[in-house]
Amino acid sequence: MNPSRRTFLRASLGAGAALSLGHVEALKGSDGEGGSTVAPASRALKILILGGTGFIGPHQVRYALARGHSVTLFNRGSNPGMFAPSVEELVGDRAYDLEALRGREWDVVVDNSATLPGWVRDTAQLLEGSVGRYLFVSTISVYARNDIPGADETAEVRAFDQGDPLEVTEASDATYGALKAAAEREALQVFPGRTLIVRPGLIVGPGDDTDRFTYWPARVHRGGEVLAPGAPHDPVQFIDVRDLTHWMIRLLEEEATGTFNATGPHYPMHFLQMLSGVRAVTPAPVRFTWVDRGFLEERGVRPWSDLPVWIPPEGATAAFMRRNISRALAAGLTFRPLAETARDTLDWWLAESEGRRTNPSAGLSLESEQEVLAAWHRTRREGSA
Amino acid sequence: MTLTRREILSGERGVIRDARDPQSPRAEAPSRSLRILILGGTTFLGPHQIRYALVRGHSVSTFTRGRTEPTLFPEIFRNVEALLGDRRDDLASLEGREWDVVIDNSATDPDWVRRSAGLLKGQVGSYLFVSTTGVFLPYRTQGIDESVEPRRVDDPDTGEASSYGVQKALAEDETRQAFPRNHLVIRPHYIVGEGDPTDRFPYWPQRIRRGGTVLVPGRTTDPVQFIDVRDLTEWMIRGLEDGLTGTFNAAGPAAPLSMAEFVYGVQAVTGNPVDWQWISDLDFLDEVGLRYSVPWVMPRGDTLGMSTILSRKAMDHGLTYRPMADTVQTTLEWWDSVPQERREEARFAISQEMEREVLAKWTARGGAA
């Protein structure tokens, strides 16, 4: 198994497309920050964001604007006017139309949207003389191995073994990590000493279109017996989209360069702690039943997709949820309390349309979950008889 | 966004903070205004009851000795009629007056209830007696509901009946006798939240927030119970509005909560790293004198069933619970606002010295994973 962001971005496209406007509208007014004020940065930056209307983009934009920066978006224009009139919008296509970027200058470019090394090469080459620094948003999925606890940024990344990565025109679940790793190299090559690479783990929070972390607050809020996967002490890592994006903007202000893992929190968290925190934000009567990994496997219940956020700490994924983040911590990454992430995610989710909420992109249906639980209890009774 | 009363009360939209805040215009007014007399209650329960009652359009009289200056929500007492007297021997100021309901917060002696209930039975519609789940001491069974009869005597041989729980049980009887139909007897578990005069519950939020190596007594699965003072008092007032009668346990939360879920839920609010040191060896804890640290109580012997009290009946009659994170957050904010002397001299069940010593002893013994 090789869980990747790509897998679920793709999986959610069908359900997400028609509803994305509603979700954008919901995000527009609030990112769950409860009206807290943000101090302006000492120097205003001109920021170009490639992409910018997906999940992390709007959080970057709002924070950047609050810090007094100016923001230009470059994308295909499928969500126009999201931040009008505060943001300049340029329309084009990463694959074949970068015209709108020509002859313009920015302090920094934030590349959220590149899954292909060729895209990065092309934009980086075009912007090389007119932009100061390049932030490439990579992924924790670049790593070749996920079984070494506490592995840091120096760990080996995946190699692309199907020819020239620059020639690839479409990423697949299997090649996603290797292509992102190759894309990192393109940025570094064109912007030597001026590249900032952030490798986020699972990004969660209001606006998440993958429904992975969201599954848990949504499920717990429904109450009753909840299937808790694996063992209570299975490790878990994820990062609140606001912690991630705000830190990115601050890194740009500080002219930081280098490569950073970005997941959290800043202490080892296990699944029981995560679920306890989620439970704490809802009044729902809940009982967790921990169902072991082997049983789930036998029943064909898959980690990550059926039981999101959970990756069994075994075999090749033994340390998937144990990445070292010391470098990011030293560079100022901070974390809001889990209760805030859980509550804001749930508030956002409950405000989504019913159509959206009844067809989530990840997680077992309530019926399937209850079936698995019933089977689990039967097995346990027979086992003890 | 508007919430219906049903949504607010049922918690269907429960994550929306302060939906049930009495100051919120979303808390719908009741159909009729009540005249409420509160016996005692200037410290903890009372101010919460009064605040909610006033917002809901009721009028409130208090009856106290006048010795305690309210420190919790002192401003609301301007809108309250203060009657003076003494539960033991001076009820004169209650004579000849009428109220729709009386709330008895302060009686620990059945005799006080007999006097006040006896005097008021012609003058008030119903009598709410605030009892305690302590009436079930010794809690020798799990899952105690209202069908379990509290003891009325400590020692059947001598007739001794002076313990807190027995006195409260006898006081309940006085209430039922004076108001055979219109009594409301509510038995709260540990009441927690803003204004808590005990240093019990604030321990965990402030301790976990301080971080470092935190000693947690008990097994991760040990059950814990408590009730947020706002959930309790708001339900009391709504119950009086609705003419609720009978006897009710009132423990929270709505479904069993484990000690692990509790401390990790607190950590989810404070958000800081903690080095957890669980000590699940109950014999060891007994030996070092660590038998409770609210909400955890050693689940054996006389406190076996103390944290598995059933409140189904209350829930069926309108008791709802805030999310625990709300209780923890509110408690922390309030704790930070109490005078520094109180915080410095807090009598926690686990003092810093005790925590250090117990941890050292545990380590010396080889500890356990």
Side-chain angles (χ1 to χ4, degrees), chain B residues 314-363:
Chain B
M315 285 187 263
D316 287 344
H317 289 85
L319 175 61
T320 60
Y321 303 91
R322 282 173 167 71
M324 186 187 109
D326 184 339
T327 301
V328 171
Q329 184 69 41
T330 308
T331 300
L332 265 180
E333 283 166 14
W334 161 74
W335 183 251
D336 289 341
S337 77
V338 306
Q340 195 178 346
E341 311 87 74
R342 171 163 177 199
R343 280 179 282 137
E344 280 170 0
E345 286 158 27
R347 280 178 300 208
F348 294 134
I350 305 176
S351 67
Q352 289 197 47
E353 298 71 44
M354 182 184 195
E355 186 182 49
R356 253 197 317 275
E357 285 164 19
V358 172
L359 285 172
K361 213 167 182 175
W362 180 244
T363 309

Side-chain angles (χ1 to χ4, degrees), chain A residues 221 266-267 270 272-273 276-277 279-283 285-286 288 337-339 343-344 346-347 350, chain B residues 11-12 14-15 17 254-257 260-261 264-265 267-269 271-273 276 321 323-325:
Chain A
H221 191 61
H266 50 311
Y267 55 86
H270 55 62
L272 170 59
Q273 289 171 330
S276 301
R279 177 177 178 178
V281 306
T282 116
V286 172
F288 295 115
L338 168 62
R343 183 162 45 208
D344 293 344
L346 185 52
D347 282 349
L350 294 177
Chain B
E12 276 170 32
V15 287
R17 273 154 286 180
L257 183 75
E261 288 166 5
Y264 297 148
Q267 187 189 26
V269 172
N272 58 285
W276 301 103
Y321 303 91
M324 186 187 109

Side-chain angles (χ1 to χ4, degrees), chain B residues 127-241:
Chain B
Y127 197 106
L128 163 54
F129 177 64
V130 182
S131 183
T132 168
T133 51
V135 296
F136 294 119
L137 187 79
Y139 311 82
R140 295 224 175 101
T141 56
Q142 305 266 13
I144 295 172
D145 66 12
E146 293 82 354
S147 70
V148 174
E149 275 298 315
R151 295 193 310 180
R152 264 77 174 185
V153 64
D154 290 302
D155 183 341
D157 295 336
T158 62
E160 175 74 34
S162 61
S163 74
Y164 175 70
V166 167
Q167 289 278 295
K168 288 293 253 189
L170 293 171
E172 287 185 1
D173 290 343
E174 295 293 344
T175 309
R176 293 187 196 98
Q177 202 172 328
F179 287 81
R181 263 199 285 277
N182 296 328
H183 65 267
L184 178 54
V185 172
I186 292 177
R187 298 165 173 160
H189 207 280
Y190 288 126
I191 308 169
V192 308
E194 185 175 10
D196 187 348
T198 77
D199 294 335
R200 298 184 299 203
F201 187 81
Y203 174 74
W204 287 109
Q206 64 83 40
R207 177 65 194 89
I208 288 168
R209 183 177 59 181
R210 189 150 52 82
T213 302
V214 174
L215 162 63
V216 188
R219 298 160 297 203
T220 53
T221 52
D222 285 346
V224 297
Q225 289 187 314
F226 53 89
I227 185 165
D228 186 300
V229 63
R230 294 165 297 173
D231 294 331
L232 175 66
T233 53
E234 291 165 17
W235 173 59
M236 286 172 166
I237 300 297
R238 294 196 310 268
L240 293 171
E241 290 167 4

Side-chain angles (χ1 to χ4, degrees), chain A residues 300-342:
Chain A
V301 180
R302 295 160 302 169
W304 194 252
S305 51
D306 290 332
L307 293 166
V309 189
W310 178 59
I311 302 282
E314 305 273 343
T317 56
F320 189 88
M321 293 291 185
R322 290 177 185 170
R323 285 280 159 197
N324 183 308
I325 56 160
S326 311
R327 207 185 270 188
L329 294 179
L333 177 59
T334 57
F335 302 88
R336 68 200 57 222
L338 168 62
E340 204 175 315
T341 299

